[in-house]
């Protein structure tokens, strides 16, 4: 689990890169590089206020993947207050 001050979603990742998605820590935030198709799905999930999971890592490997989860919560007491 990584806490971040901000999140940047970059929808310019090419399918030919061999990655499902990439996540990098940038200063005190998180940058997630995703394909244009995933970006459209993310935008729709945000409009609909639905949870969304982005799987990061290479397409062809069976290695452990990283996940970026966007979750809507009812109780804000359990979230980061800063």
């Amino acid at each position: 689990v990584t806490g971040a001050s901000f999140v940047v979603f970059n929808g310019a990742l090419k399918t030919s890169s061999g990655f499902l998605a990439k996540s990098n820590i940038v200063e005190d935030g998180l940058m997630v590089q995703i394909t244009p198709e995933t970006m459209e799905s993310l935008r729709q999930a945000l409009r609909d206020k639905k949870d969304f999971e982005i799987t990061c890592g290479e397409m062809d490997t069976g290695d452990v993947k990283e996940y970026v989860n966007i979750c809507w919560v009812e109780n804000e007491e359990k979230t980061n207050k800063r």
Side-chain angles (χ1 to χ4, degrees), residues 20-46:
L20 298 165
K22 289 178 169 183
S23 63
N24 299 313
I25 295 173
V26 180
E27 295 182 14
D28 60 344
L30 180 69
M31 181 172 66
V32 184
Q33 297 174 324
I34 55 180
T35 62
E37 296 81 18
T38 303
M39 178 64 90
E40 186 54 41
S41 298
L42 171 60
R43 291 177 71 194
Q44 188 60 51
L46 292 172

Side-chain angles (χ1 to χ4, degrees), residues 7-23:
V7 178
V8 174
F9 294 101
N10 177 343
L13 185 68
K14 298 192 182 329
T15 308
S16 61
S17 71
F19 285 90
L20 298 165
K22 289 178 169 183
S23 63

